[in-house]
Amino acid sequence: MSPSRRDFLFTSAAAAAASLARVANLHAAQGPQAAPPVFTPIRRNVGFFTMRGGTIGYLINAGGVAVVDSQFPPEAIACLNGLNERSGNRGVDLLMNTHHHGDHSGGNISFRGVAKKVVAHAKAAEHMKNPPGTQPPTEQLYPDTTFTDTWAMEIGDERISAKFYGRAHTSGDVAITFERANVVHMGDLLFDRRHPVVDRPAGASLANWIKQMELIAKAHTADTVFIAGHAGANFPVTCAAADLMHHRDYITALLEFTSAQIKAGKTREEVVAMKDVLKGFDAHGPLTAGPLGAAFDELSTK
C-alpha cells in the first residue's frame, strides 16, 4: 500500500471511529485494547486474525481472498498488509460483516478500493448506516450486497455461506460458514467465557440467543471449529459445540439470576450494581452492569 493511500485511510478512519464509540466503549471495559497483529491458520486455508476488536476470519486460496469482519481502521490496515503478504497482493474478493458494531465493522473503511464485494445482513447494514443510540460514521464502506435469511458464494475450492437465525446479540447477527473447511465464524453470537454485550437498542434478545446456540450447534458437526467474536482471558477464540452450549447455559443462568432478583423486589439500580459470580461460570468473573441491565429490561417488558 502506498504512503498516500495509507495516510488517507488513517485520516478518514479517525472520523469513522469517533462515531462508533458507544459500542466500542462497552467492549473496552472487558479486555485489553492493544496487541500485536497475529494470523492463526485453522485448516484448509481458513484462519483468524487478532489484534484489537472482534476476531477477524480469513480465507486465502488459489481462487481468491475473503475476510469476515474488520475490527477498527488501523487494525484493518494491519490485517490487509498481512493478507497481501500471504496472497501476493491479490486484493480482497469478499468482505463480510457478522453484524454492525464498530469493533467488527469500523475497519471497513480501510477496505475501500480493495474489497470487490461487501456483504451483510440487511438489518446489520441498516444499523451500520444508522447505529441505534449514536451517529453514523462520516466515512465508511457500507455493504453493497444484503440478504435476510441466507447467502452463499464460491471462492476457489471453498463455499462461504451465511445464515440469520434470529435476534440475539443484535437483530442482524449472522453465522458465517466456510463449508468445506467446516469452520464457522460466529461474530458476537459467541462470547466464550466472557460477559457479552447485549445491544437492546439494536434489537437484542437473550431468550432468542439461547435458542440460537442450540440451532447453530445442531446445524454443524462434532468436528466443526467455531470462531468466537471475543473470548475471556486465557481462553482461545476457536471453540467447539460444547462452548456454544456453555454460552447458552450462561445466558440461561443470567436470566434466572435476574428473574430471582426481580421477584425479590430489587430495583433496576440495585440489580445492575450486583457483583455476584454466576454459579458454574467462575471464568466470567463478577457480573457487570451491561448484561444485568439487559436481562432486567428484557424480563421487565414481558
Side-chain angles (χ1 to χ4, degrees), residues 68-127:
V68 179
D69 285 344
S70 60
Q71 295 192 354
F72 299 101
E75 288 72 25
I77 291 173
C79 182
L80 272 171
N81 289 339
L83 291 172
N84 285 333
E85 290 173 5
R86 290 161 173 79
S87 71
N89 296 305
R90 297 187 55 139
V92 174
D93 297 271
L94 171 67
L95 170 63
M96 298 193 73
N97 293 119
T98 59
H99 65 294
H100 75 284
H101 284 159
D103 61 322
H104 291 259
S105 70
N108 279 22
I109 184 64
S110 299
F111 287 81
R112 179 179 286 174
V114 178
K116 298 174 185 176
K117 181 185 289 290
V118 185
V119 179
H121 187 269
K123 186 59 72 171
E126 176 185 322
H127 288 332

Side-chain angles (χ1 to χ4, degrees), residues 25-299:
N25 287 340
L26 288 173
H27 285 279
Q30 298 186 25
Q33 291 300 293
V38 178
F39 288 84
T40 304
I42 300 176
R43 60 190 178 205
R44 214 176 179 280
N45 302 310
V46 174
F48 66 90
F49 170 87
T50 52
M51 191 173 179
R52 181 174 70 104
T55 311
I56 293 176
Y58 67 86
L59 165 75
I60 304 172
N61 66 22
V65 177
V67 180
V68 179
D69 285 344
S70 60
Q71 295 192 354
F72 299 101
E75 288 72 25
I77 291 173
C79 182
L80 272 171
N81 289 339
L83 291 172
N84 285 333
E85 290 173 5
R86 290 161 173 79
S87 71
N89 296 305
R90 297 187 55 139
V92 174
D93 297 271
L94 171 67
L95 170 63
M96 298 193 73
N97 293 119
T98 59
H99 65 294
H100 75 284
H101 284 159
D103 61 322
H104 291 259
S105 70
N108 279 22
I109 184 64
S110 299
F111 287 81
R112 179 179 286 174
V114 178
K116 298 174 185 176
K117 181 185 289 290
V118 185
V119 179
H121 187 269
K123 186 59 72 171
E126 176 185 322
H127 288 332
M128 286 171 67
K129 294 177 181 177
N130 295 288
T134 187
Q135 295 297 312
T138 55
E139 290 283 344
Q140 179 59 300
L141 175 63
Y142 294 112
D144 54 61
T145 302
T146 62
F147 63 96
T148 56
D149 297 311
T150 60
W151 182 90
M153 177 178 176
E154 299 268 349
I155 293 185
D157 63 356
E158 184 58 81
R159 186 174 193 267
I160 304 171
S161 61
K163 185 170 182 178
F164 176 65
Y165 287 85
R167 295 191 300 132
H169 167 64
T170 71
S171 58
D173 295 83
V174 295
I176 298 171
T177 303
F178 299 91
E179 295 185 1
R180 296 175 186 124
N182 198 15
V183 175
V184 182
H185 196 306
M186 296 288 288
D188 280 0
L189 291 174
L190 181 58
F191 284 75
D192 187 42
R193 273 72 173 181
R194 180 171 172 172
H195 294 301
V197 169
V198 187
D199 193 347
R200 280 182 55 79
S205 168
L206 288 163
N208 284 349
W209 206 337
I210 292 169
K211 298 174 185 176
Q212 281 205 24
M213 293 299 95
E214 296 173 347
L215 289 171
I216 295 171
K218 289 177 180 177
H220 296 91
T221 68
D223 190 44
T224 303
V225 175
F226 297 92
I227 301 174
H230 301 272
N234 303 317
F235 286 92
V237 297
T238 48
C239 302
D243 299 306
L244 273 66
M245 296 302 94
H246 187 83
H247 186 52
R248 173 202 64 183
D249 294 344
Y250 162 88
I251 296 172
T252 301
L254 172 68
L255 287 172
E256 290 175 347
F257 175 86
T258 308
S259 178
Q261 308 314 311
I262 293 172
K263 289 177 181 177
K266 298 283 182 65
T267 66
R268 189 183 193 281
E269 290 71 23
E270 290 172 322
V271 171
V272 299
M274 299 182 80
K275 300 298 180 183
D276 297 59
V277 175
L278 290 176
K279 185 177 180 181
F281 301 93
D282 295 32
H284 290 71
L287 284 166
T288 59
L292 280 170
F296 187 99
D297 294 342
E298 183 167 328
L299 291 167

